[in-house]
Structure formats: C-alpha cells, structure tokens
Amino acid sequence: MSHIPPPGAHDPASADVPDLRYELDAALAQCPVLHDSGAYTLLGHAEVVQAATDPETYSSAVSRHRAIPNSLDGHEHAAYREIVERYLTRAEVEAQEAQCRAHAEALVAGLERGSMVKTLTHFAIPYAVRTQLEWLGWPAELEEELVAWMDRNRAASRAGDYRQTAAVAAEFDAMIERVLEAGDGTGADPTSRLSRETVHGRPLTRAEVVSILRNWTAGDLGSLASSLGVLVHYLAAHPHVQDTVRSAVAEGDSERVEEAILEILRIDDPFVANRRVTTREVEVAGVKIPEGAPVVLNWTAANRDPQVVGDPDAYCPGENREHNLVFGIGPHVCPGLALSLMELREGLAALLRGTTWVHEFEHERAVRLEAPGSGWARVPVVLE
Ligand code: HEM
C-alpha cells in the first residue's frame, strides 16, 4: 500500500477554497450521521450503503418534480430503468469508443506544449460536450450553448437559489424540446430511439423523454468533465501514479487504466451526493431519523471512510475496488458507469499518448470547486 499525501491539502496557496473532502473526513471522525438544518447527511460507508440498498425505507421521491428514473421507486422505477439501460449496454458503449477517441485525440493535438493549459476549459469540458452531442445525435453547433448552460447551472446550484435553479432547468428543457422538434424521430440515434419507446404499453410522453434526456446530459456532462479534471490533476500531482497509468495505456491494458480511474475518483469523488426521504422512522448509528426526513447520501465522504479503506488518501486500486461508491450502489446505481468509464479512459489515454509528461503549472495552483461541489474548478497544467 503506498501513501500519497493529498495534493494541496496543507498548501496555503490553495487554502482560499476549502477542500470539502477534508471537512467531510473531520465530520465523519465525529459521527457517521450529520444532522444539520433539518437534513440528515450519511457520511459513513456502511450507513450510505445501507440506505442506498434499502429503497423501501429511503425513497428517491425527494421533490415534487418527477425525474426519470432518478426520483422513482419500486416497480415504477424498474419500468423506466429498463428503458434507460437499453441505451447504456456494453455493445452501445463500444459503439461510441471510436468517436470518443477521435474527439480526445483532436483536442489533445490542439493543446499547447510548454505553456499553461487550462485542463477543464481546453480539454475536459469540450471533450465531455462533444462526445455526448455525438452519442445523442444532437447538432455539434449546440456545443457553445451547452457549455454556457453548464456555467449557469453550476452558478445556480452554488447559490442554492431554488428559483434560479428552476429557471436554468427550464432553459435546458427548452433546448431539448428544440432538438426533438428539429428531428423527425425516425433515426437510429438514442434521442430518436428514445422518442419511440413505450412504457406500460403506451408511448413515452414528451415530458418523460425530456426528463430522461435531461438526466443524461444536464447532470452527467458536469460529472464527466469534473472527473476528468480530478484525474488530470491527480496524475500531474502524483508522478509515480502517472508513470503506472502511462505504462498501462502504452500496453493497451484498459482494465488497469479503469481501475486507476476508479481509485483516483474514490480518493477525490466530485459527484458528491444524492438525496432520499425516509418512509418510516429509522435509527442510524444511534441517531433517530423521523419519517419524512430529508436524507443525503454523501458518496465523497463514504468513499474515504477509514473504517473501510484505511488511509483515505492511499492509492490502492486493486484493494479498494469492491468498496468503491463513485457510481453508487443499489437499485439506482449509475446505469452510465460503463459509458463514463470508457469516456474517461479514452480521454485520459489520448492525453497520455499525445504527451510525454503532464506537469503541474508551477506559477499557479489548482483551485478547488466551492461546496456543495467538489473536485477542481481550475487545473492549470503544462504538457510536454
Ligand atoms: C463520472 C460520471 C458519473 C458519475 C460519477 C455518476 C454517478 C452516479 C451516481 C452516484 C448515481 C446514483 C444516484 C442515486 O443513488 O441516487 C448515478 C445515477 C444515475 N446516473 Fe450517473 N454518473 C456519471 C455519469 C453518468 C452518465 C454519463 C449517464 C448517462 C448517460 C448517467 C446516468 C445516470 C442515471 C440515469 C442515474 C439514475 C439511475 C436511477 O435512478 O436508477 N450517469 N450516477
């Protein structure tokens, strides 16, 4: 087991934005359940797994808005989940590999050598947006609009302003509606196929199609881009891990590359949390949670629980694989896992193949995202 100090953890230059991971570690050391402002946040690995795998006690119907399949429970959830999974099978994912590689290689070829590159702006965000647009069969011209939307969405969730968030969500729905209007619904792309699906023996409604597409894009573009930011930062800050991942890429060992990706994201999980609501009173780690209480499953904290992983910052890809909660667990476990891993692997592999080294930029520190986000807002690097 190798111990690697957390990047920037004790570095005054990056101390202006606190690192949520270390705040969560400190809270978890006090108690695996945090009761704050009426909500119960589960931080411990065992507590998060218990809640995520008991949907009868922890319902996903957390708001008035119906998000498909995220906010559904039981049979209703299973019916829509089956539809979603059809688009994310191994075969569907493999069919996207070549386009992901091509987009990654084109972006890497255009990145400057020897001067500062902004990982998120110049690489991770355009890569996530371009590959997603192509997968869904949406026009490439939407890239700029989507990137600007992602910025507004992030600002709205940081502000925690419900009205602003709702307005930004409505803008996104309008964009999806435009895409659906422009197509004739007969194509083989996922968007057209989805609009021809049926559930409970009737066609999906337009609102259902929009909701499914919203979950594939609105949330996941951001997750993919921030994950890539975390990965590039980690490799730049941990030369011996960069070395081993470079070797795995050179040997074409996709499994080892994916194990490394999962372990780096376990150490620094930018997909922080999901919500539930209790359907009955329940006691967790000695804390009584009443019926109808909002509960937060904090994946970032649970992934670093020392009871399960020992030193949370130790890089141990093989040993920690089975405890990894980056993509969740239980009936709502991420159906986009295979797609995401492939996209991250292709993005990272293209960057490593196209360079001889990725360095941290010595004149400007990386900056953490502000809570409730985690991961990095800025990852300046220099490519060799
Ligand atoms: C690095 C990228 C990603 C991460 C870290 C991630 C993580 C997660 C997690 C932790 C959950 C569990 C939510 C819960 O239990 O409430 C989830 C659910 C989900 N994810 Fe992902 N995800 C990623 C990318 C994607 C992509 C690319 C797609 C689809 C294209 C996707 C589609 C979904 C959907 C539809 C759900 C809800 C599943 C359900 O409720 O049954 N995700 N994701």
Side-chain angles (χ1 to χ4, degrees):
M1 193 189 270
S2 57
H3 174 80
I4 295 155
H10 307 293
D11 181 346
S14 62
D16 40 338
V17 180
D19 191 324
L20 183 66
R21 287 177 294 169
Y22 302 111
E23 294 184 344
L24 292 169
D25 288 353
L28 172 58
Q30 299 295 312
C31 181
V33 183
L34 183 70
H35 184 200
D36 186 26
S37 319
Y40 295 81
T41 301
L42 309 185
L43 303 167
H45 192 279
E47 291 72 17
V48 167
V49 170
Q50 164 62 30
T53 52
D54 178 6
E56 279 171 15
T57 307
Y58 298 90
S59 162
S60 288
V62 292
S63 86
R64 287 178 292 125
H65 298 283
R66 193 163 173 259
I68 300 175
N70 313 44
S71 74
L72 307 177
D73 292 321
H75 296 306
E76 186 71 349
H77 171 254
Y80 289 92
R81 170 93 191 191
E82 203 183 298
I83 297 173
V84 167
E85 283 180 357
R86 263 177 236 153
Y87 295 80
L88 297 161
T89 59
R90 212 145 266 292
E92 295 278 344
V93 169
E94 273 169 25
Q96 298 306 315
E97 228 176 74
Q99 65 101 346
C100 290
R101 187 169 305 170
H103 281 301
E105 284 175 352
L107 279 162
V108 170
L111 297 174
E112 298 217 21
R113 302 299 191 269
S115 57
M116 198 262 270
V117 167
K118 296 179 178 178
T119 304
L120 286 148
T121 316
H122 296 148
F123 180 52
I125 293 173
Y127 174 65
V129 172
R130 286 176 200 179
T131 51
Q132 194 98 342
L133 286 175
E134 187 152 346
W135 170 52
L136 292 172
W138 293 12
E141 300 75 63
L142 279 181
E143 176 174 340
E144 214 175 302
E145 198 178 333
L146 260 180
V147 171
W149 181 86
M150 281 163 77
D151 276 349
R152 287 197 299 279
N153 189 40
R154 203 191 291 282
S157 54
R158 200 170 44 225
D161 175 343
Y162 173 73
R163 256 191 270 168
Q164 199 182 341
T165 316
V168 176
E171 279 173 34
F172 196 81
D173 285 4
M175 193 192 318
I176 301 179
E177 289 282 2
R178 263 192 286 132
V179 173
L180 289 168
E181 286 299 327
D184 62 6
T186 60
D189 58 276
T191 307
S192 307
R193 275 160 59 204
L194 192 61
S195 57
R196 300 194 294 269
E197 291 282 0
T198 58
V199 67
H200 308 315
R202 55 140 180 101
L204 286 181
T205 65
R206 179 57 78 94
E208 287 168 339
V209 172
V210 169
S211 178
I212 293 173
L213 288 170
R214 187 197 307 126
N215 285 323
W216 286 354
T217 45
D220 301 313
L221 277 173
S223 317
L224 281 167
S226 7
S227 296
L228 208 43
V230 165
L231 294 167
V232 173
H233 178 269
Y234 195 88
L235 295 189
H238 299 91
H240 73 280
V241 179
Q242 182 172 158
D243 237 356
T244 61
V245 180
R246 277 187 180 277
S247 310
V249 167
E251 289 157 23
D253 190 341
S254 302
E255 211 169 298
R256 246 170 75 220
V257 179
E258 291 187 2
E259 271 199 346
I261 290 172
L262 283 168
E263 177 63 349
I264 295 168
L265 296 178
R266 179 201 64 74
I267 293 169
D268 191 1
D269 183 355
F271 191 103
V272 180
N274 285 104
R275 293 185 298 152
R276 300 287 190 270
V277 58
T278 48
T279 57
R280 62 176 178 89
E281 186 187 276
V282 64
E283 192 172 317
V284 185
V287 177
K288 269 209 170 64
I289 304 182
E291 180 183 338
V295 172
V296 177
L297 314 186
N298 195 301
W299 311 111
T300 305
N303 268 315
R304 297 175 52 82
D305 187 342
Q307 301 253 26
V308 173
V309 299
D311 176 353
D313 289 310
Y315 174 80
C316 307
E319 283 163 61
N320 289 333
R321 176 69 187 93
E322 64 174 309
H323 313 298
N324 194 300
L325 293 176
V326 171
F327 290 90
I329 191 168
H332 292 273
V333 65
C334 182
L337 164 71
L339 180 68
S340 309
L341 270 184
M342 180 279 285
E343 287 197 19
L344 294 172
R345 187 192 74 221
E346 289 301 328
L348 206 58
L351 182 67
L352 297 181
R353 275 196 312 269
T355 58
T356 52
W357 202 255
V358 179
H359 300 269
E360 287 183 282
F361 180 49
E362 57 182 331
H363 302 297
E364 194 185 317
R365 291 270 157 203
V367 179
R368 297 293 295 177
L369 264 175
E370 282 171 48
S374 193
W376 299 95
R378 288 211 297 271
V379 182
V381 291
V382 175
L383 307 181
E384 193 178 302

